[in-house]
Amino acid sequence: MKIKDAKVYVTCPDRNFVTLKVFTDEGVYGIGDATLNGRELSVVTYLEEYVIPLIIGKDPFQSEDIWQYLYRGEYWRGGAVTMTAIAAVDMALWDIKGKALNVPLYNLLGGKSRFGVMVYGHANGKDMEEAIDEVGKYVDMGYLAVRAQCGIPGLPSTYGVAKEKLFYEPAQKGLPQENIWSSEKYLNFIPILFQKLRDTYGEDVHLLHDVHHRLTPTEAARLGKNLEPYHLFWIEDVVTAEPQEGFRIIREHTTTPLAVGEVFHDIWDTQVLITQQLIDYLRMTVLRGGGLTQMRKVAALAELFHVRTGCHGATDLSPVTMASALHFDISINNFGIQEFMRHTEKTYEVFPHSYSFKDGYMYPGDAPGHGVDFNEDLAKKYPYERAYLPINRKLDGTMWNW
Ligand code: CS2
Ligand code: MG
């Protein structure tokens, strides 16, 4: 079997997605997600101009060698654009492999290690009352785990609070929106939110929270300590993780589990965090993390050091990534949890899929490959329009992390 062609599609059913389709000389094709939120067309160019010419004629079963060719063969290796492009090719090749062998992806990854994949949903509210109410809606929908985000008293807006329910989409058309931030107001408020959530819903529901890169290590240590009575499943992205060693400051002060890594794209981004057990969950997923080929290696390293996976699953990762991640999640031993932000119905029509949700778990389905298709005719109806993620400034105007 040989790769005979590949095409990149950009579509915007409620938000922008970039999709790669790899065609073979035996009629089997594979689909990969190549979406980089807010920088979509950079990956389109990278794929069309530099990657697709290199894979034509190759055997799609040689996913490891093709991964190495695209990774080591790029002198300026790594980075979000390169690794997203490599991930898209890798997802498509594993999809081809599954279809050609007529098996679901998980059976190429070691088979099922569990009956289902526990997921968490996103509850958020503009104020405490609404956030608490939204968590209840997810509990009523059968979720065993819920991420709670809330507007912060005294701040006009903040991360994670949707304009409409269920479909939180931070990327907006036009120039970047400006959010205003105060760590002090945030740190004074969030423990109260989780105390109220525990008082309202008891001890069993898993509660999660995303700090979205906004604290310093000592502020993160203070937050972790103050949240200990409410035993969260994790606090995520408490600080930016370039100085991986910085997590030791947080680790030494709190037992609240730490999750990080949705922006990581290389195993080297995780090395110190994992090998020195500075985190509990790794958020990297197949779209940013170079596809299944690299994610299997990352999971294997993490397994040695008590670190579990917690794959990113936001709306800006297409159903192709969700499906690929579910096959990965159900097969590895050190699975932790999977994020599941529901896409819109329009998106699901463009990406018909075989995965499903029931009673707090997701199931990848048994279709050959990853089980997601791409409706090109429908996709054409939703043209791309540039959209930016917001930016964030402190109360005094200082540029900060969004
Ligand atoms: C968030 C993401 O889901 C999460 O944990 O951090 O929604 C993130 O804001 C987006 O993926 C950015 O594109
Ligand atoms: Mg996050």
Side-chain angles (χ1 to χ4, degrees), residues 37 120 122 147 159 168 170 210 212-213 236-237 262 283 312-317 339 341 389 402:
N37 200 6
Y120 71 90
H122 279 206
R147 187 189 86 164
Y159 162 71
Y168 164 59
D210 191 347
H212 225 256
H213 319 283
E236 168 188 349
D237 281 340
E262 69 181 48
R283 295 276 288 133
H312 186 208
T315 45
D316 48 288
L317 291 66
E339 177 178 9
M341 282 179 78
L389 283 169
W402 173 70

Side-chain angles (χ1 to χ4, degrees), residues 91-381:
M91 277 184 252
L93 298 185
W94 280 95
D95 190 28
I96 289 168
K97 210 181 296 225
K99 287 174 177 174
L101 298 173
N102 197 30
V103 291
L105 265 195
Y106 62 76
N107 272 341
L108 298 177
L109 300 170
K112 289 183 180 179
S113 296
R114 55 194 58 78
F115 65 81
V117 173
M118 184 172 77
V119 294
Y120 71 90
H122 279 206
N124 62 78
K126 61 183 181 308
D127 55 33
M128 177 100 73
E129 187 186 349
E130 189 173 273
I132 291 171
D133 188 43
E134 283 299 304
V135 168
K137 288 180 184 168
Y138 277 85
V139 171
D140 293 344
M141 283 191 277
Y143 282 81
L144 303 174
V146 186
R147 187 189 86 164
Q149 304 293 135
C150 186
I152 308 297
L155 295 181
S157 64
T158 192
Y159 162 71
V161 181
K163 292 183 180 57
E164 53 188 271
K165 294 306 143 226
L166 277 183
F167 306 125
Y168 164 59
E169 176 45 74
Q172 299 298 320
K173 296 182 173 61
L175 294 177
Q177 284 184 345
E178 295 216 356
N179 284 178
I180 304 295
W181 177 251
S182 158
S183 291
E184 256 331 284
K185 294 182 189 298
Y186 168 83
L187 288 166
N188 291 337
F189 174 71
I190 289 298
I192 303 167
L193 169 69
F194 284 93
Q195 179 187 1
K196 293 261 194 277
L197 285 170
R198 280 292 176 223
D199 292 347
T200 308
Y201 297 109
E203 303 304 316
D204 291 343
V205 60
H206 295 301
L207 296 174
L208 303 91
H209 182 65
D210 191 347
V211 187
H212 225 256
H213 319 283
R214 299 179 177 203
L215 300 179
T216 63
T218 45
E219 288 170 343
R222 172 182 159 192
L223 177 68
K225 278 171 72 172
N226 290 345
L227 289 175
E228 283 176 12
Y230 318 118
H231 57 92
L232 271 69
F233 188 90
W234 78 34
I235 47 177
E236 168 188 349
D237 281 340
V238 287
V239 297
T240 51
E242 285 79 8
Q244 295 181 43
E245 298 76 6
F247 273 73
R248 187 176 315 290
I249 300 167
I250 309 163
R251 209 48 162 183
E252 284 165 354
H253 290 279
T254 181
T255 58
T256 296
L258 301 173
V260 71
E262 69 181 48
V263 299
F264 294 175
H265 27 257
D266 206 311
I267 195 166
W268 300 106
D269 298 330
T270 74
Q271 187 205 359
V272 172
L273 291 165
I274 289 177
T275 58
Q276 296 187 24
Q277 301 181 39
L278 300 179
I279 59 172
D280 302 281
Y281 296 94
L282 186 66
R283 295 276 288 133
M284 207 170 169
T285 192
V286 288
L287 174 55
R288 286 287 88 71
L292 289 159
T293 297
Q294 178 169 245
M295 280 308 296
R296 298 172 78 202
K297 298 171 183 175
V298 172
L301 176 67
E303 183 181 338
L304 301 180
F305 296 94
H306 304 294
V307 176
R308 284 170 285 180
T309 64
C311 285
H312 186 208
T315 45
D316 48 288
L317 291 66
S318 92
V320 179
T321 291
M322 177 53 73
S324 302
L326 289 171
H327 285 276
F328 168 76
D329 293 336
I330 207 162
S331 66
I332 56 172
N333 175 266
N334 55 325
F335 165 71
I337 198 168
Q338 169 66 49
E339 177 178 9
F340 175 42
M341 282 179 78
R342 292 167 188 263
H343 289 100
T344 63
E345 280 316 309
K346 250 195 248 177
T347 298
Y348 286 141
E349 286 162 11
V350 173
F351 294 93
H353 54 277
S354 64
Y355 61 76
S356 59
F357 170 88
K358 187 173 186 313
D359 298 337
Y361 291 87
M362 284 184 80
Y363 303 87
D366 297 312
H370 53 49
V372 184
D373 207 344
F374 180 69
N375 185 324
E376 291 176 41
D377 294 336
L378 206 47
K380 287 184 188 122
K381 290 184 179 175

